[in-house]
């Protein structure tokens, strides 16, 4: 017998171990089953499970478990990412605690330390994913720096280099002065701030007392100015184009050039051009053939190209000194407040510096063309579809991809230099030496590759490429990628580029983009706000099934999830309801019967429920396949709680307690079979409780639930469906009326059906006792004439249903209560609508606050509409 209460902790570890012991998660390359493949977005080896992970891995697990039950050879390929910068920072911080730096250890010993840390702590998130119930094929787990993936990275780099699609160049990059490495645009966090705009006079060469005024937000870079730009159509400066100004402090002559980058409407219309320290200026410099001067070092301190008194100064200290010196020279015109964005490194938290340095680049424009076409022609589709526009925006405006990083942890670039600077790119040092010639001294490139370079190969490197493996043959192209919108370009686009280039096919057919998980008010979760909900704490308190089902039920396409602890608690109650239903079945002797044929049942209520099971299985399956996860959860929730527990089990109580032995045995067997089918349909989203009940409800099972087949439609009985659906509709209508008019539960009402057909009258007679008991009625009977007063009227089927409430309640008191509720809600709703119509409030209040107010108005309006409907019913009855 089942325990009185469901205890998640008692079953989760047990069943996960059984699944693994029985290889339930394993794909079988030799199987002739159709493949179904999902590549797990590899979490960082530094990571731990957060709510975003819980959402994405739950949705992937639902797809995998569902397709496994559909009879497909389902591979969920797991793995973790070495996360270059993030991991190096973690280990460096640990070493700092010991008073040691990576430079003290040297490169090789430092990397050994990282591998030690990876072995010690790198599996944390994998263990946590197991707690969530993730049924990945762990035997195939990969790491972006394991031997096979590393070989794939070298192969791709060498091939792209030899095809001319990877090259080395000196360009401006986003330089992190703390981490001492280039970072990508997507690793730069733009923070809004109130800065300043300084206006300086630059003297015109050879024209005493004449100046051109330039505005700048970065005085410290003026020491590297090599030009001043004005718009070619700006009448104020036409006569100055081609002349020089003298750069103050440095006393260097620099030209005035014409370029459309200069905006006549902004500031003075003249801008200083510093090609070595600004991305826009760099492009102007190239167009106007200006010199590029770098005045900062890798620490963002002034270097040897600055005047002697500035060398070695921090950039922000130099800013203050330059402003002061310009003021002392009489060249500071004014200072204005200036709202602006400042680039910060998302890892280091320091201001990023555009810096001129030698880096490795991928010609992304060439690789992007077939990847763009693949989505345009439908080879790969985005769900929801609007995310295609984000993809198109990135791909159609793609820039060269800087793939080199000046850190130690990562895939070291397979390039060697001779003493003359010639480059040799090969798979091994031996091959590079052979290419350079015997006796030529070679030095290995110290840079490593951007983490996303190896991640871009994930759909095929994990399957054994560059070897032509059976796994690669069977599981590539994968079926769906499930991920967040924030890495569409980071990862999705790059996998598309690399997959098509090296495999000749798209890496996935579908890309499902899930929403963000926010707090209950719609605010982004953050430790500083104190609003973070930890999925592991929720699992500890309510169980993994409740956590998973909550996220599934709220995962509507294109809509962020507003998560509250109370929602998880609510779905824990659903698990309890299911558990109690199973206990009810056990207590009434409802257990699976060998050889039971659900299509052969005779009693209408059993034929009805068997048909409904087929409908719900098809409906939920279709919704999962269409990535409408919230609808799938709500459908099975409604069926399990409503159709099965609230209706079928209530309908069958008289049968189980009756004297018709054949009907009793059929109903017991049907009840057990229906519960089994519910467990099947719930299993992808609630794997633990369903597996436990599957095991407990029968003396013996041929296999685990995880390995069972998805239910199919076995019976359709239109007459049984119509009768039982009519019965549910009639009882629900009466219950709703009682509830909304506040009729006491102890009161037994009289109900009359006018205009009932012969079929309806027969149904009424057959189910009279059920109707009376479940709707709490004294009598229910057909009539021929309408009742003038004293009854609320509703329509069920072809009949008008008169519900006598006037004789059993204080109508005037109830009318007064409803009118008071309506007036109170009208006042509250009016106040909130007035606030929302205030443009100032909507513009200035945080977005989550505005959204919360709108949601509240919708909820209150729906509640008020119910009160108004109830009042209308009562008024009609009088």
């Amino acid at each position: 017998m089942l325990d009185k209460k469901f205890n998640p902790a008692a079953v989760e570890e047990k069943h996960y171990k059984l699944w693994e012991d029985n290889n339930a998660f394993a794909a079988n390359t030799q199987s002739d089953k159709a493949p179904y493949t999902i590549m797990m977005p590899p979490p960082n080896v530094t990571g731990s499970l957060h709510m975003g992970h819980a959402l994405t891995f739950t949705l992937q697990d639902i797809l995998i478990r569902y397709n496994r039950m559909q009879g497909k050879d389902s591979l969920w390929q797991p793995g973790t990412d070495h996360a270059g910068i993030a991991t190096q920072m973690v280990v460096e911080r640990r070493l700092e605690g010991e008073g040691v730096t990576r430079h003290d250890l040297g490169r090789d010993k430092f990397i050994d330390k990282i591998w030690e840390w990876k072995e010690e702590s790198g599996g944390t998130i994998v263990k946590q994913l197991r707690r969530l119930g993730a049924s990945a094929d762990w035997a195939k787990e990969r790491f972006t720096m394991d031997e096979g993936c590393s070989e794939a990275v070298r192969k791709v780099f060498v091939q792209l280099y030899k095809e001319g699609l990877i090259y080395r160049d000196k360009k401006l990059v986003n330089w992190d002065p703390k981490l001492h490495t280039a970072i990508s645009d997507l690793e730069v966090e733009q923070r809004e701030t109130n800065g300043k705009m300084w206006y300086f006079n630059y003297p015109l060469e050879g024209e005493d007392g004449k100046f051109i005024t330039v505005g700048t937000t970065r005085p410290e870079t003026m020491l590297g100015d090599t030009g001043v730009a004005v718009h070619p159509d700006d009448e104020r400066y036409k006569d100055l184009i081609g002349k020089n100004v003298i750069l103050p402090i440095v006393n260097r002559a620099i030209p005035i050039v014409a370029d459309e980058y200069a905006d006549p409407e902004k500031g003075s219309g003249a801008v200083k051009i510093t090609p070595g320290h600004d991305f826009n200026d760099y492009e102007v410099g190239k167009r106007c053939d200006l010199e590029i001067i770098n005045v900062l070092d890798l620490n963002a301190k002034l270097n040897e190209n600055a005047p002697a008194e500035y060398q070695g100064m921090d950039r922000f200290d130099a800013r203050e000194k330059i402003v002061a010196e310009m003021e002392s020279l009489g060249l500071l015109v004014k200072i204005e407040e200036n709202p602006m964005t400042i680039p910060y490194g998302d890892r280091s938290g320091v201001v990023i510096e555009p810096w001129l340095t030698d880096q490795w680049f991928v010609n992304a424009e060439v690789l992007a063309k077939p990847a763009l076409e693949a989505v345009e022609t439908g080879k790969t589709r985005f769900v929801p579809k609007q995310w295609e526009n984000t993809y198109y925006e990135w791909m159609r405006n793609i820039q060269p991809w800087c793939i080199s990083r000046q850190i130690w942890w990562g895939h070291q670039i397979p390039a060697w230099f001779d003493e003359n600077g010639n480059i040799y790119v090969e798979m091994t040092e031996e091959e590079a030496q052979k290419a350079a010639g015997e006796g030529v001294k070679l030095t290995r490139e110290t840079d490593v590759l951007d983490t996303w370079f190896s991640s871009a190969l994930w759909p095929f490197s994990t399957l054994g490429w560059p070897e032509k493996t059976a796994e690669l043959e069977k599981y590539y192209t994968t079926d769906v990628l499930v991920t967040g919108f924030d890495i569409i370009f980071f990862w999705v686009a790059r996998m598309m580029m690399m997959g098509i280039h090296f495999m000749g096919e798209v890496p996935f057919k579908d890309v499902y983009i899930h929403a963000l998980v926010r707090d209950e008010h719609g605010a982004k979760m953050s430790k500083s706000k104190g609003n973070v909900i930890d999925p592991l704490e929720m699992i500890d308190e309510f169980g993994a099934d409740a956590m998973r089902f909550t996220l599934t039920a709220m995962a509507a396409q294109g809509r962020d999830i507003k998560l509250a602890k109370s929602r998880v608690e609510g779905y824990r109650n659903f698990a309890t309801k299911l558990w109690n239903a199973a206990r009810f079945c056990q207590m009434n002797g409802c257990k699976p019967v060998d050889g039971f044929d659900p299509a052969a049942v005779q009693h209408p209520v059993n034929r009805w429920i068997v048909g409904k099971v087929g409908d719900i299985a098809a409906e939920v399956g279709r919704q999962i396949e269409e990535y409408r996860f919230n609808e799938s959860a709500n459908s099975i929730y409604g069926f399990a709680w409503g159709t099965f527990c609230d209706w079928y089990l209530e309908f069958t109580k008289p049968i189980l307690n009756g004297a018709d032995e054949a009907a009793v045995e059929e109903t017991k067997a049907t009840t057990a079979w229906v519960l089994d089918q519910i467990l099947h349909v719930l299993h992808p989203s609630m794997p633990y409780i369903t597996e436990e009940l599957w095991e407990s409800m029968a003396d013996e099972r041929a296999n685990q639930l995880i390995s069972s087949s998805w239910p199919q439609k076995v019976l359709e009985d239109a007459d049984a469906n119509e009768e039982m659906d009519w019965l549910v509709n009639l009882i629900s209508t009466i219950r709703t009326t009682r509830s909304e008019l506040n009729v006491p539960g102890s009161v037994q009402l009289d109900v009359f059906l006018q205009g009932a057909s012969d079929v309806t009258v027969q149904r009424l007679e057959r189910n009279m006792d059920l109707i009376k008991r479940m709707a709490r009625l004294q009598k229910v009977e057909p009539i021929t004439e309408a009742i003038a007063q004293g009854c609320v009227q509703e329509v069920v089927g072809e009949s008008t249903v008169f519900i006598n409430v006037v004789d059993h309640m204080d109508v005037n008191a109830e009318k007064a209560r409803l009118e008071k509720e309506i007036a109170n809600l009208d006042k509250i709703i009016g106040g909130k609508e007035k606030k929302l119509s205030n443009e100032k409030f909507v513009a200035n209040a945080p977005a989550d606050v505005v959204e919360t107010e709108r949601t509240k108005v919708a909820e209150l309006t729906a509640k008020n509409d119910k009160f108004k409907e109830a009042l209308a019913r009562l008024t009609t009855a009088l």
Side-chain angles (χ1 to χ4, degrees), residues 88-119:
Q88 179 160 316
M89 284 180 68
V90 168
V91 177
E92 285 199 76
R93 280 197 295 266
R94 283 164 62 94
L95 290 173
E96 280 174 18
E98 302 168 14
V100 178
T101 70
R102 63 184 167 110
H103 300 286
D104 295 331
L105 292 176
R107 183 174 189 137
D108 291 343
K109 287 185 179 178
F110 177 70
I111 290 173
D112 288 343
K113 285 285 185 186
I114 296 182
W115 278 108
E116 286 174 19
W117 180 85
K118 190 263 179 186
E119 293 305 313

Side-chain angles (χ1 to χ4, degrees), residues 220 223 249-250 295 301-303 306-314 317-326:
E220 65 275 16
L223 303 179
I249 301 176
V250 180
V295 295
K301 293 184 177 182
L302 277 292
N303 66 14
E309 65 271 25
Y310 285 92
Q311 292 176 16
M313 288 187 73
D314 176 79
D317 293 336
R319 173 183 293 182
E320 292 182 13
K321 182 176 172 63
I322 287 168
V323 172
E325 186 166 351
M326 289 295 282

Side-chain angles (χ1 to χ4, degrees), residues 813-833:
E814 179 60 15
K815 276 189 71 179
R817 181 186 77 83
L818 290 170
E819 287 167 351
K820 184 177 178 182
E821 292 279 10
I822 291 166
N824 184 46
L825 284 174
D826 279 341
K827 185 177 179 181
I828 295 171
I829 292 167
K832 290 186 177 295
E833 287 179 336

